[in-house]
Amino acid sequence: MRAITQRTFGGPEVLVLGSAPVPEPLPTEVRVRVAAAGVNPVDWKTRSGAGMAKVFGEPPFTVGWDVAGTVDAVGPGVTRFAVGDRVFGMPWFPRQAGAYAEFVTAPSRHFAHRPAGLSEVAAAALPLAGLTAWQCLVDIAAVQPGQRVLVHAAAGGVGHLAVQIAKARGAHVIGTASSGKHDLLHDLGVDEAVDYRREAFERAVEPVDVVYDLIGGEVSLRSLDVLAPDGLMICLPSAAAADALAAARERGLRATGMLVEPDGDGLEDLARLVDQRNLRVVVAETFPLERASHAHRAGELGRTTGKLVLTT
């Protein structure tokens, strides 16, 4: 099979198209013929030696976790899927999944059935970002109707899904983004859009119950000024959130980091939101598998609205 590999840490140019044996599913595993693979910040961080590089160890390896495709084979014990089923998932995170390839094997419970209203490209863009948002806002924050939720980087890969999940939970949603992205935010259901370039969000926003910070650094520290006394701030990436968590403790406020994990039930919850037309996935650009390095260069610019996707 074709697969993107790297033999050293470095810039996007280390990603090269090669070949690898087609994997065989073990008991309880499925093999998925990959139609599309999502591209996430953790991918290029891992490629460069950060991200999940400590989990992976030294190259060679294949990055990527987001997968959409068709079940091609099933191992003994699999009851959830049959050959030919259309699925999407985020297998093995944070261990190597090798999603930038034509086939992936993983436990069946790392996948869910792809909803009919979601294309393979959009489905590939959803798992990691969608589960990150779902696990933070639903499992950790338990967002309730009427609560006020502030999402930073609200038009980004995780952010644009987070605002829709919070809205579907009945929250009043506030999102920060540059003014050119405000129309999109309002289309996604955001109640208040704040242009962080033109005004300090901590002066424009009334106290909120949940801050979902996808930027970090001084944005996290400033966000404490708008967090209600009994509110919760969730900071991502959690590895960079130590200063914000310490500052929150000093002020008697609640804050936490988070790391996403595979979750078939969560994927099914996201699929239901898609079926109910309460969640749509914005894909900024697609690239053929062999141009994975170009996708990483585009992502590292930090200007992407929604998600980037590779197609096989």
Side-chain angles (χ1 to χ4, degrees):
M1 67 174 181
R2 297 187 308 151
I4 296 293
T5 61
Q6 61 180 91
R7 298 195 173 277
T8 184
F9 294 117
E13 69 279 358
V14 304
L15 299 177
V16 296
L17 183 65
S19 62
V22 175
E24 292 296 328
L26 297 175
T28 76
E29 291 186 348
V30 296
R31 183 172 68 204
V32 176
R33 180 184 291 274
V34 179
V39 178
N40 295 285
V42 68
D43 299 1
W44 56 77
K45 291 175 183 177
T46 302
R47 181 214 71 221
S48 68
M52 295 302 147
K54 289 183 179 179
V55 177
F56 278 31
E58 292 294 318
F61 53 67
T62 296
V63 297
W65 286 275
D66 276 341
V67 169
T70 304
V71 174
D72 174 76
V74 298
V78 173
T79 58
R80 303 180 73 231
F81 301 110
V83 171
D85 284 350
R86 300 178 301 178
V87 298
F88 72 118
M90 185 199 72
W92 293 119
F93 190 87
R95 294 169 57 190
Q96 183 180 174
Y100 291 13
E102 291 182 312
F103 292 93
V104 165
T105 56
S108 66
R109 293 187 181 275
H110 290 187
F111 296 95
H113 290 279
R114 173 165 64 89
L118 206 60
S119 69
E120 287 175 325
V121 167
L126 179 57
L128 193 148
L131 285 176
T132 299
W134 182 270
Q135 291 172 9
C136 285
L137 296 176
V138 179
D139 296 343
I140 297 175
V143 170
Q144 301 296 313
Q147 287 189 318
R148 293 171 54 82
V149 176
L150 170 62
V151 179
H152 289 302
V158 176
H160 88 283
L161 300 171
V163 297
Q164 296 177 79
I165 291 169
K167 194 65 184 175
R169 303 279 293 182
H172 179 93
V173 182
I174 305 148
T176 64
S178 59
S179 59
K181 299 176 181 181
H182 284 193
D183 286 346
L184 171 64
L185 293 188
H186 289 304
D187 286 344
L188 296 177
V190 167
D191 298 288
E192 300 177 45
V194 178
D195 185 350
Y196 66 92
R197 294 176 176 175
R198 296 184 179 180
E199 57 184 334
F201 68 84
E202 64 269 35
R203 290 198 292 269
V205 176
E206 296 295 323
V208 299
D209 301 289
V210 177
V211 173
Y212 193 31
D213 176 30
L214 300 164
I215 299 175
E218 54 92 18
V219 170
S220 296
L221 298 176
R222 291 163 53 201
S223 293
L224 295 173
D225 292 337
V226 300
L227 186 63
D230 58 348
L232 174 66
M233 180 169 71
I234 303 174
C235 304
L236 295 177
S238 57
D243 289 345
L245 301 187
R249 286 193 297 270
E250 290 175 3
R251 296 175 58 168
L253 297 171
R254 293 191 302 147
T256 185
M258 178 269 187
L259 186 64
V260 69
E261 59 184 302
D263 181 3
D265 290 340
L267 291 171
E268 290 174 357
D269 289 325
L270 293 171
R272 276 191 286 273
L273 287 183
V274 171
D275 285 335
Q276 295 163 0
R277 298 187 178 181
N278 287 324
L279 183 68
R280 65 183 176 99
V281 183
V282 176
V283 175
E285 192 171 0
T286 62
F287 300 81
L289 181 65
E290 61 270 20
R291 290 173 63 86
S293 62
H294 294 76
H296 277 216
R297 286 191 183 94
E300 287 178 296
L301 292 175
R303 302 170 187 166
T304 303
T305 299
K307 295 294 302 293
L308 303 172
V309 176
L310 302 175
T311 56
T312 60

